[in-house]
Amino acid sequence: DQQVKQNSPSLSVQEGRISILNCDYTNSMFDYFLWYKKYPAEGPTFLISISSIKDKNEDGRFTVFLNKSAKHLSLHIVPSQPGDSAVYFCAASGTNTGNQFYFGTGTSLTVIP
Amino acid sequence: KAGVTQTPRYLIKTRGQQVTLSCSPISGHRSVSWYQQTPGQGLQFLFEYFSETQRNKGNFPGRFSGRQFSNSRSEMNVSTLELGDSALYLCASSLEGQVRQPQHFGDGTRLSIL
């Protein structure tokens, strides 16, 4: 039962343009969401988080948007850089899941110079 | 500040054997979680330990077990290894507090079963 879904396995974007990565969830009890970036042969690196009391959170070039009614979140990267090429995972947890996070299957982003 | 350290980085075993993986969390982090990553499956939650107690458990068979020591270091054990256990095993640690905290991952142990 995949409670967090990333329906785009891959995405290619030109350097300098915006990258938009999407994530959907099914559990209405999820209230804390994270994005991670993963390079090959390394563990996931935490990028940005958002709690359900907010609908937007920014950190430099990264912005996460949360649409609770649609159970949808997205990560915007502006401007995209070649070093952003990696696999991006979204993750979610809820007050009823403790510290257990549910992860999507990832989206592989390629930024073309 | 040192990150999450997992050892060994690579491991090759044969079916039927058992294996123990180790994880040292970030200093001060008392929650340690384990995940299995296989191609196309994302990260699947195995279990979480806090203060030497298993606090959450995912949907894995009893062959997968873990423990946590008083210094928050954690080990994961898999017995009677099967070919399907070949995966990247990731450990993550996090702080506990009033505000929800992200998990921080180690680089994982790549386990290959022959």
Side-chain angles (χ1 to χ4, degrees):
Chain A
D1 178 25
Q2 194 72 26
Q3 298 192 45
V4 177
K5 298 178 183 178
Q6 293 176 257
N7 292 318
S8 298
S10 62
L11 176 68
S12 292
V13 172
Q14 290 286 339
E15 180 179 3
R17 306 293 290 270
I18 184 171
S19 295
I20 300 176
L21 297 102
N22 294 303
C23 179
D24 297 294
Y25 61 95
T26 57
N27 190 336
S28 58
M29 297 299 290
F30 286 156
D31 63 355
Y32 183 54
F33 305 87
L34 310 173
W35 283 95
Y36 287 88
K37 177 166 88 170
K38 186 179 185 301
Y39 293 119
E42 294 183 11
T45 301
F46 168 68
L47 273 177
I48 192 169
S49 65
I50 190 168
S51 73
S52 59
I53 62 173
K54 302 173 76 172
D55 54 18
K56 176 183 173 181
N57 189 27
E58 286 182 83
D59 184 0
R61 297 186 297 114
F62 301 92
T63 302
V64 56
F65 295 91
L66 176 62
N67 183 331
K68 291 182 287 292
S69 61
K71 296 191 182 69
H72 177 84
L73 66 155
S74 60
L75 175 68
H76 292 208
I77 306 173
V78 185
S80 301
Q81 301 173 354
D84 295 330
S85 296
V87 177
Y88 290 78
F89 291 95
C90 64
S93 74
T95 51
N96 67 334
T97 69
N99 210 24
Q100 176 175 349
F101 282 85
Y102 292 83
F103 281 77
T105 51
T107 296
S108 179
L109 173 66
T110 301
V111 180
I112 304 164
Chain B
K1 191 174 186 182
V4 177
T5 303
Q6 291 188 245
T7 56
R9 287 296 310 276
Y10 303 93
L11 207 48
I12 299 175
K13 292 286 187 178
T14 57
R15 282 181 298 172
Q17 288 186 310
Q18 73 164 13
V19 67
T20 299
L21 312 181
S22 179
C23 172
S24 293
I26 292 172
S27 178
H29 288 194
R30 293 165 62 195
S31 168
V32 175
S33 297
W34 289 89
Y35 292 85
Q36 180 194 67
Q37 185 186 13
T38 53
Q41 290 295 314
L43 279 71
Q44 302 292 315
F45 174 78
L46 282 153
F47 29 66
E48 182 218 1
Y49 285 86
F50 180 79
S51 291
E52 302 178 65
T53 301
Q54 188 181 87
R55 191 162 66 171
N56 277 305
K57 188 178 189 307
N59 191 26
F60 277 81
R63 300 185 298 107
F64 292 82
S65 63
R67 59 177 174 167
Q68 186 181 34
F69 302 95
S70 59
N71 61 358
S72 295
R73 191 177 71 84
S74 178
E75 287 182 347
M76 189 190 93
N77 184 274
V78 188
S79 62
T80 319
L81 287 165
E82 301 176 357
L83 291 177
D85 297 333
S86 293
L88 180 66
Y89 289 88
L90 291 160
C91 167
S93 72
S94 63
L95 277 172
E96 289 282 307
Q98 296 290 338
V99 179
R100 302 285 286 281
Q101 298 287 337
Q103 295 183 333
H104 298 272
F105 284 84
D107 286 338
T109 294
R110 171 73 63 183
L111 176 62
S112 299
I113 311 302
L114 303 179

